[in-house]
Amino acid sequence: RAPGQRIDPRHKAYQRPAETRHSHSPMARATSSRHPSGVDPALLAERIKRWGRELGLQQVGIADTDLTADEERLDEWLGLGRHGEMGYMASHGTKRSRPAELIPGTRSVISVRLDYLPQPHEHFDAVLQDPGAAFVSRYALGRDYHKVLRCRLQRLADRIRRAVGELGYRVFVDSAPVLEKPLAQKAGLGWIGKHTNLINARAGSWFFLGEIYTDLTLPSDAPAADHCGRCQACIDVCPTGAIVAPYELDARLCISYLTIELKGSIPEPLRPLIGNRIYGCDDCQLVCPWNRFARMSAEPDFSPREGLEAADLISLFSWDEHEFLRRTEGSAIRRIGHARWLRNLAIGLGNAPASPQVRQTLQGRAHHPSELVREHVAWALARQSGVAREDPSSALTVGRRGDQENQI
């Protein structure tokens, strides 16, 4: 998110999903602050929060639209090239950090969170410690969260409209250039931790974020305070050193970026560090002490599908494209496509203990039509044969020099 630091390619263009187009008072025409007719704004804000909880959202907060400081940080991050190939992060100018430029007339932002933790942490550890298993980021084990949360937000917006009548709004779940974490922090949902994920003092960080931009002028909640203190567990545990300083993430080193966002070849120095993480990475959340307060999600849609919570690398590598599409239907995983799925799995197999079965499995894809797949399979076969390709420690050095020269 982001996610979420759930980095998601759906940001790449400003989209207008059919279910979010409803507006009974076009915000493009709103030129002055508008209070809900006949309804006390503070009372309405409390009702909105209650309605959100009734719809199964864990928390609802309200923020104003001033993101001046966050805009400066975003510009610096982009200037350092830390967004890698995520060109969409820079393609909308100031619309990302100025809600009223994205949706004219926006006065308030309703920010929500929805918990998704599908299993206790012990299950995660078991998969990560088994080199023959395939680790999938826990947010992606169930149904695509975009659909689940967007539907919930639309129902909340409909409820607000019934209460106030005329209403201009837009619903967002990774569907437009939105600084969702700074907005959520302003709305009191949590603080942005040193790993750049949002943390809630009572619920940890295993949740999704969504927003409703509205032309209503609602009272803002108090921003959440930072409670990371001197802890740097997330910085120490990051396999690739992607958290280059407290509150600073270099996406080019992040396993979530490498296995989800990056479309081409994964840099060789980073491949051994990826281990068996084939789709995303949760290490920084697993070690965060605040996640001892995280609760299991009650959402059936977020329950693991297709046995992905404990699948083995060899079995997943055997899926042809048809089976991949069938088994990932309705899942966030599907958007990376079959070739990148095999690319990621090839790295996992290359990092697995050497065995004839692994080598035979890889040989079966050695002549795959995709050059991307062939290249990663060749690397994995070399690893399995004991042929040294790169010193893994060099990856961290390369990444930390990345601000001076774009080497990855």
Side-chain angles (χ1 to χ4, degrees):
R1 223 192 39 171
Q5 184 66 45
R6 298 296 171 228
I7 306 170
D8 192 320
R10 290 172 188 253
H11 281 301
K12 64 187 174 184
Y14 174 43
Q15 302 171 11
R16 299 185 65 179
E19 65 266 43
T20 68
R21 291 180 185 170
H22 305 289
S23 179
H24 294 260
S25 173
M27 293 174 67
R29 293 187 224 156
T31 58
S32 62
S33 179
R34 192 172 76 80
H35 294 278
S37 178
V39 182
D40 176 68
L43 178 60
L44 177 60
E46 289 306 311
R47 288 177 177 173
I48 290 171
K49 294 170 187 176
R50 187 182 77 245
W51 296 335
R53 292 191 295 270
E54 291 171 355
L55 289 169
L57 300 169
Q58 273 66 58
Q59 190 175 359
V60 178
I62 297 170
D64 60 39
T65 62
D66 181 9
L67 296 170
T68 303
D70 301 286
E71 180 178 294
E72 293 175 359
R73 283 190 286 270
L74 174 62
D75 289 344
E76 180 182 4
W77 186 72
L78 293 171
L80 291 170
R82 289 178 175 173
H83 58 305
E85 295 183 5
M86 296 183 291
Y88 57 83
M89 291 298 299
S91 63
H92 298 281
T94 55
K95 288 183 178 179
R96 186 178 298 276
S97 53
R98 302 179 188 181
E101 287 188 11
L102 179 65
I103 303 297
T106 299
R107 301 294 176 183
S108 300
V109 176
I110 300 168
S111 180
V112 310
R113 67 175 180 87
L114 179 63
D115 293 349
Y116 68 82
L117 184 65
Q119 297 173 312
H121 288 184
E122 292 75 17
H123 290 257
F124 304 11
D125 293 332
V127 176
L128 284 170
Q129 291 170 15
D130 180 355
F135 184 85
V136 174
S137 183
R138 303 295 95 169
Y139 87 91
L141 290 176
R143 186 184 178 205
D144 189 340
Y145 69 94
H146 301 85
K147 301 174 183 178
V148 178
L149 185 49
R150 184 180 294 123
C151 179
R152 212 68 59 91
L153 284 169
Q154 185 57 55
R155 290 167 62 189
L156 177 58
D158 289 342
R159 190 126 183 214
I160 298 169
R161 180 173 54 82
R162 289 197 298 271
V164 304
E166 188 176 309
L167 175 67
Y169 70 93
R170 287 287 295 277
V171 166
F172 297 115
V173 183
D174 288 347
S175 56
V178 172
L179 286 180
E180 61 177 8
K181 287 181 287 184
L183 285 168
Q185 179 168 281
K186 284 177 69 72
L189 270 58
W191 72 94
I192 298 174
K194 292 179 181 177
H195 49 19
T196 74
N197 294 309
L198 198 77
I199 304 172
N200 182 283
R202 294 188 177 90
S205 61
W206 303 101
F207 50 79
F208 299 123
L209 297 173
E211 301 78 37
I212 301 176
Y213 280 22
T214 177
D215 63 352
L216 296 175
T217 301
L218 299 169
S220 300
D221 288 298
D226 187 323
H227 295 289
C228 284
R230 291 180 293 178
C231 177
Q232 61 172 35
C234 58
I235 297 173
D236 295 337
V237 79
C238 182
T240 55
I243 308 171
V244 295
Y247 312 102
E248 296 183 28
L249 179 79
D250 190 334
R252 297 166 296 181
L253 296 173
C254 179
I255 293 175
S256 288
Y257 167 82
L258 295 168
T259 57
I260 301 173
E261 293 287 347
L262 186 64
K263 295 180 180 179
S265 178
I266 294 176
E268 285 194 27
L270 295 173
R271 295 177 193 177
L273 305 177
I274 291 174
N276 63 349
R277 301 166 185 83
I278 66 163
Y279 188 93
C281 178
D282 291 332
D283 288 35
C284 61
Q285 297 193 85
L286 282 169
V287 300
C288 179
W290 290 101
N291 272 325
R292 68 183 182 273
F293 300 116
R295 299 184 182 91
M296 297 278 290
S297 173
E299 294 288 338
D301 282 325
F302 297 150
S303 296
R305 297 181 172 191
E306 301 295 336
L308 287 173
E309 74 279 14
D312 64 89
L313 293 164
I314 290 176
S315 297
L316 298 184
F317 197 68
S318 71
W319 290 1
D320 60 21
E321 187 167 17
H322 175 76
E323 186 170 9
F324 168 78
L325 293 174
R326 180 177 64 82
R327 288 180 176 266
T328 60
E329 185 175 3
S331 163
I333 297 172
R334 197 181 204 191
R335 56 190 162 79
I336 70 170
H338 188 235
R340 281 192 276 167
W341 174 253
L342 294 177
R343 173 199 67 183
N344 298 346
L345 283 159
I347 290 177
L349 288 167
N351 291 329
S355 75
Q357 185 181 14
V358 170
R359 289 193 291 273
Q360 182 179 3
T361 299
L362 287 165
Q363 286 286 1
R365 301 283 191 189
H367 303 289
H368 192 275
S370 167
E371 181 181 353
L372 180 69
V373 175
R374 293 196 305 272
E375 188 249 315
H376 286 77
V377 167
W379 175 87
L381 284 168
R383 288 268 293 176
Q384 281 287 313
S385 301
V387 179
R389 298 291 294 261
E390 290 284 349
D391 175 8
S393 65
S394 68
L396 301 184
T397 303
V398 171
R400 286 164 183 160
R401 288 201 306 261
D403 293 343
Q404 283 99 20
E405 45 187 337
N406 222 350
Q407 297 190 42
I408 291 184

